[in-house]
Amino acid sequence: MTTVLLDVDTGIDDALAIFTAALSNEIDLVGCTITWGNVDVDQGARNTSEVLRLAGHGDVPVAVGAAGPRRGTAAVFSPEVHGDDGLGGCADVTHVPTLAPESAVELMLRLSHAHAGALEIVAVGPLTNLAAALDADPTLPERIRQVTIMGGAALAPGNVSETAEANIWHDPEAAQVVFDAPWELTMVGLDVTMTSLVTDAHRERLAAGGAVGRFSSAILDFYLAYYEGYTGERASGNHDALALAVATGLVRTTLSPIVDVTVDCSDGPARGRTVTRLEGEWGTWPDREGARHRVVMEVEPGFEERMVDLLASA
C-alpha cells in the first residue's frame, strides 16, 4: 500500500483523483492540502471535503493552503473548464466542510515526519504549497519517498498558451523551486495525460453505478462539454488521476526518461513552459547522467477502464 498526500485545487479532474485515492485498496490517503488554481482555495477546500465525504473518507484531514501565486500577483481561476463551483455546478451548497486546524504547510510537514521515507506527495495543482513547505523546512525532501506532479508539457503544446500547461503557468516561480529541490520528482504532463482519455461512454457507465459513480458522471458532463468545444470530442484528458496512478503503481509507465527540467519564469510569451532535454529519435531518449526529473511520455493502456470500474462500484 502506498501512503499518499494529495495537494489539490479541487476541480473536476481533481475529484476523480481524490475518489480513486480514497477508494483504492492499494492507497492509504493520509491527507489533502488545498491550493488555489481551478477555483479559489476556500471553494477547493469545500469541494475536497465534499468529495471525501461522498467516498466515505470524511476523516481524511483537509488543510487550506496558498490563495494565490508565490510572487503575489492576482490569482486566476478556470470556471469555463470546471464551472463556477469547480464541480460543474454539482457542488452541494449545504455542505459544511470539515477542515484541519493546521495549514497546508503544517500538515505536509507533520505527515512527512509521521510517514518519513514512505510518504508520496502527489501535486495536481499549482505548486505554491510545495514551494512554501520547502521554504519552511528545507530538509523536507529527506523524508519524502517521491513527488509526482500533474503539470508541464515536454513536446506537447500547452493548454493555456502555445507552450505552457496550466498548473505550471499559474505559478512558474513555485514550480522552479519544486523542480530545484533535491528529491525524486516525476512529471506527468500533457504529453501523456492528453492520451489518457475519459469518454462519454465512460460517463454513461459511471451514471449506471453507485453514488460516487453518479456524482462523477454528473460533474464529467460539464467537463466533457468544455472539451468538446476545445478538441471537438466529448473526451477529456484524465490528468490528475493519471498522475496519482503513476505515483502509486496503478499504471505502469512504458516510456519515462530521466532528464533535467527547468521552468521559464520570464514575463514573455513562453512563461510557464517546462524546458526538458529530450533529444534523439522519438521514443529513444536516454536517461541523462546526473539528472533528477522523470518525465512520463507513455503509459500502459487500460487505467481509465479500471478507474471507471472502481468509481462506478462505490
Side-chain angles (χ1 to χ4, degrees):
M1 183 175 289
T2 307
T3 305
V4 169
L5 167 68
L6 270 174
D7 188 64
V8 292
D9 57 337
T10 299
I12 293 166
D13 54 337
D14 306 72
L16 299 180
I18 295 167
F19 279 141
T20 302
L23 296 170
S24 173
N25 59 15
E26 298 180 43
I27 297 172
D28 180 17
L29 180 62
V30 294
C32 290
T33 50
I34 316 302
T35 187
W36 68 290
N38 292 325
V39 290
D40 69 70
V41 69
D42 292 328
Q43 184 68 52
R46 288 193 294 273
N47 291 350
T48 304
S49 175
E50 180 180 352
V51 168
L52 287 167
R53 178 183 60 80
L54 282 168
H57 286 263
D59 57 336
V60 172
V62 175
V64 177
R70 183 175 176 84
R71 69 174 184 174
T73 51
V76 178
F77 310 116
S78 303
E80 71 282 2
V81 183
H82 298 273
D84 289 337
D85 63 357
L87 293 176
C90 298
D92 181 358
V93 295
T94 68
H95 175 70
V96 178
T98 302
L99 303 178
E102 55 201 327
S103 71
V105 167
E106 290 168 340
L107 178 62
M108 196 175 291
L109 295 179
R110 178 170 67 80
L111 291 176
S112 77
H113 286 283
H115 304 280
L119 186 65
E120 301 260 351
I121 296 177
V122 182
V124 296
L127 297 175
T128 319
N129 283 343
L130 268 68
L134 288 163
D135 290 342
D137 184 354
T139 70
L140 174 63
E142 299 172 9
R143 300 185 299 278
I144 300 302
R145 183 172 181 269
Q146 178 182 239
V147 171
T148 300
I149 69 165
M150 189 282 121
L155 302 179
N159 59 1
V160 290
S161 72
E162 289 187 5
T163 57
E165 179 276 330
N167 287 337
I168 305 299
W169 176 85
H170 274 307
D171 199 341
E173 286 78 16
Q176 188 62 68
V177 170
V178 172
F179 277 106
D180 283 345
W183 47 24
E184 182 179 334
L185 186 146
T186 297
M187 180 178 113
V188 182
L190 296 178
D191 302 89
V192 67
T193 66
M194 287 300 291
T195 69
S196 174
L197 298 180
V198 178
T199 67
D200 221 18
H202 289 135
R203 187 191 63 77
E204 290 171 1
R205 281 169 50 195
L206 288 163
V212 167
R214 294 193 300 272
F215 183 83
S216 299
S217 174
I219 63 177
L220 275 168
D221 194 39
F222 187 97
Y223 202 48
L224 296 183
Y226 167 78
Y227 269 90
E228 185 175 22
Y230 179 58
T231 66
E233 298 181 68
R234 279 181 63 85
S236 68
N238 194 21
H239 304 293
D240 295 351
L242 186 66
L244 172 75
V246 168
T248 58
L250 295 181
V251 69
R252 185 174 64 90
T253 64
T254 53
L255 181 62
S256 54
I258 300 174
V259 296
D260 285 319
V261 180
T262 58
V263 180
D264 189 319
C265 294
S266 73
D267 289 321
R271 179 172 173 79
R273 177 190 175 204
T274 45
V275 182
T276 62
R277 187 179 176 190
L278 295 181
E279 299 173 352
E281 296 299 321
W282 173 260
T284 63
W285 301 296
D287 292 346
R288 299 292 176 179
E289 186 175 353
R292 296 181 297 102
H293 307 132
R294 183 175 296 278
V295 178
V296 179
M297 300 298 287
E298 294 177 6
V299 297
E300 65 181 0
F303 168 66
E304 302 78 32
E305 300 296 322
R306 298 192 296 274
M307 182 192 80
V308 168
D309 287 344
L310 178 68
L311 272 56
S313 69

